[in-house]
Amino acid sequence: MKDKIIIVTGGNKGIGKAISHEFAELGAKVKVFARTIPNDLNEFVDGKTDLLSNIEFFAVDVSDFDSVAESVNKIVKSEGKIDVLVNNAGVTKDNLLMRMSPEDWDFVMDINLKGAFNCSKAVIRTMMGQRYGRIINIGSIVGTIGNPGQINYSASKAGLVGLTKSMAKELASRNILVNLIAPGYVETNMTDALNDEQKAKLVENIPLRRVANPSEIADVVVFFAHDDSKYITGQVLHVDGGLAI
C-alpha cells in the first residue's frame, strides 16, 4: 500500500476512521472526504501523530457532484493518480414506512447511494486512463435481509449491490475491480450506549456472539485494495459474524 492514493469517504469516524488509520499505517496517502473536518487531528489519529503525514482532509458533500469533482481534481493534479476509492459515507434517518417523510428518504438515498455514484463517476476517468483502480463500496447486511424501521437505509444499501455488480462488469476490461463489503453490527457510539441486556439481545442471533470491531471491517477493505485480490470483482462479502447465514 505504500504511496498508494486512497480516497475514503465518510472517513472521519466509525468504520471510515478505522479504514483511514489502517491505510495510513501501511504507508498509503489517505484522502479523507467528510462534511466536517475534526478540530483536533491528534485526537482523530488517537495520538499516533506519525499517521498525520499520510492523511489529508477534504470538506466534501458526497451528495453534491461538483463538491466531489472539485476535490478529486485537486488530488489528481497534486498526486497524478487515484488508486483506490472507498465509498463508505453513510447516514441513517430511521422510521417506519408510514411515518417516514419523503425528505428523510431523499436524505439517506442522496448520501448512501447517489454519493457512491458521484464519487465513482468522479474518479473513473483517471482510473481508466491509468488502467488500474479499486472501488470498494461499504454496504450493510440490511441491504440483503432488510430491517423494519430502516426502509430508506436498506434500500440504499441494496442499491449499492446493483451499482457494484454493474460497475464491475463495465470496468473489468480496464483492470478496475469493484467489490462490496456488507458489515453486520459493528461497535459504534450507538452500540456503546446500549445496556448489557440490550447488547445481549443484539448479539443473540449472531453465531459468533459478538459485534465487530471497526478494524475488522478495515482489514477486509485493505484486502480488496491489495493485489492479493486481483482476480476478484463484482462480489458482495458479508462481514457479519455469520448473521446472514
Side-chain angles (χ1 to χ4, degrees):
M1 291 293 105
K2 185 169 176 57
D3 295 327
K4 295 281 190 182
I5 306 302
I6 318 286
I7 295 175
V8 181
T9 72
N12 59 333
K13 57 186 177 181
I15 294 173
K17 178 181 174 179
I19 294 168
S20 298
H21 281 195
E22 187 143 346
F23 277 124
E25 288 172 353
L26 292 171
K29 296 181 180 179
V30 183
K31 314 299 182 179
V32 177
F33 285 11
R35 284 181 294 177
T36 57
I37 298 175
N39 293 323
D40 186 346
L41 293 183
N42 288 331
E43 183 179 344
F44 170 77
V45 295
D46 299 331
K48 301 175 184 177
T49 54
D50 56 310
L51 296 184
L52 289 176
S53 62
N54 288 342
I55 295 175
E56 182 179 6
F57 274 89
F58 293 80
V60 178
D61 177 359
V62 298
S63 69
D64 180 348
F65 180 76
D66 290 339
S67 174
V68 172
E70 180 181 358
S71 291
V72 167
N73 290 338
K74 286 180 181 177
I75 293 168
V76 173
K77 185 175 182 179
S78 64
E79 305 291 353
K81 64 173 184 172
I82 296 172
D83 296 296
V84 179
L85 166 65
V86 183
N87 283 314
N88 168 75
V91 294
T92 58
K93 278 283 186 178
D94 296 347
N95 219 328
L96 296 174
L97 174 59
M98 65 182 297
R99 297 173 181 167
M100 184 173 292
S101 69
E103 292 76 17
D104 286 349
W105 169 272
D106 289 343
F107 175 67
V108 170
M109 297 298 285
D110 282 350
I111 299 291
N112 298 6
L113 186 54
K114 184 182 177 184
F117 163 80
N118 284 342
C119 293
S120 299
K121 182 174 175 62
V123 305
I124 207 61
R125 187 176 298 276
T126 296
M127 288 185 174
M128 290 179 74
Q130 65 199 22
R131 300 188 70 86
Y132 179 90
R134 304 289 185 265
I135 298 176
I136 303 159
N137 296 321
I138 306 300
S140 170
I141 186 176
V142 303
T144 301
I145 65 174
N147 200 32
Q150 289 193 309
I151 294 291
N152 49 3
Y153 186 75
S154 299
S156 71
K157 295 301 186 178
L160 282 177
V161 174
L163 183 74
T164 297
K165 292 181 178 291
S166 296
M167 287 200 304
K169 290 183 175 182
E170 284 190 17
L171 302 173
S173 65
R174 295 300 183 99
N175 193 33
I176 301 169
L177 310 182
V178 189
N179 291 288
L180 181 142
I181 296 167
Y185 293 112
V186 182
E187 289 177 6
T188 62
N189 293 336
M190 180 188 73
T191 55
D192 288 343
L194 300 177
N195 60 40
D196 290 342
E197 182 179 351
Q198 290 170 322
K199 289 180 180 179
K201 186 173 180 60
L202 182 69
V203 303
E204 65 182 11
N205 293 321
I206 303 174
L208 286 184
R209 291 295 188 268
R210 66 177 180 84
V211 299
N213 184 286
S215 66
E216 293 174 303
I217 309 302
D219 288 341
V220 185
V221 173
V222 170
F223 168 71
F224 276 133
H226 198 277
D227 281 346
D228 285 349
S229 64
K230 63 180 176 290
Y231 200 60
I232 302 174
T233 194
Q235 299 304 302
V236 175
L237 180 59
H238 288 92
V239 185
D240 61 5
L243 184 58
I245 295 173

